[in-house]
Amino acid sequence: MAEDTFGITKTLNDYTVVTTLERLGDSLTKVEISHFYSTASLKAKLLNLIAKRRIARETLATLNAMKAVIERERGTIENRGRLA
């Protein structure tokens, strides 16, 4: 399990992240990152107001970073094919 860098699990002890990758074609993949947690306590409800935007920003940043690495690697592989 990855380290909780936000400290979210201290307040949201059932916080779970699910990442799903679905192949749609030879060069197309659908990626979903879902976050689940309950907000039973007042502290959790308050944290939710603040954290949900940050979680959304961090999730988008993660997806963009994944996309950049994949596209960079694909370009490297395509360039190798041209040089061969």
Side-chain angles (χ1 to χ4, degrees):
M1 179 178 206
E3 182 180 337
D4 177 11
T5 57
F6 295 150
I8 290 175
T9 56
K10 291 178 185 173
T11 304
L12 306 173
N13 59 2
D14 63 344
Y15 182 75
T16 304
V17 179
V18 176
T19 304
T20 307
L21 291 93
E22 178 184 351
R23 184 178 183 158
L24 301 177
D26 288 340
S27 62
L28 189 63
T29 302
K30 178 181 175 182
V31 179
E32 285 185 357
I33 300 178
S34 303
H35 302 260
F36 302 96
Y37 54 92
S38 49
T39 56
S41 70
L42 178 60
K43 187 175 180 182
K45 289 177 184 177
L46 293 173
L47 176 64
N48 181 54
L49 292 173
I50 299 165
K52 66 181 175 181
R53 287 190 183 120
R54 182 169 179 182
I55 290 169
R57 279 194 311 270
E58 293 294 329
T59 300
L60 185 57
T62 299
L63 289 169
N64 286 333
M66 289 171 65
K67 182 177 187 246
V69 169
I70 291 166
E71 289 175 347
R72 185 172 49 246
E73 288 298 317
R74 183 175 179 169
T76 301
I77 291 168
E78 288 174 354
N79 286 338
R80 285 184 201 153
R82 287 185 207 141
L83 296 175

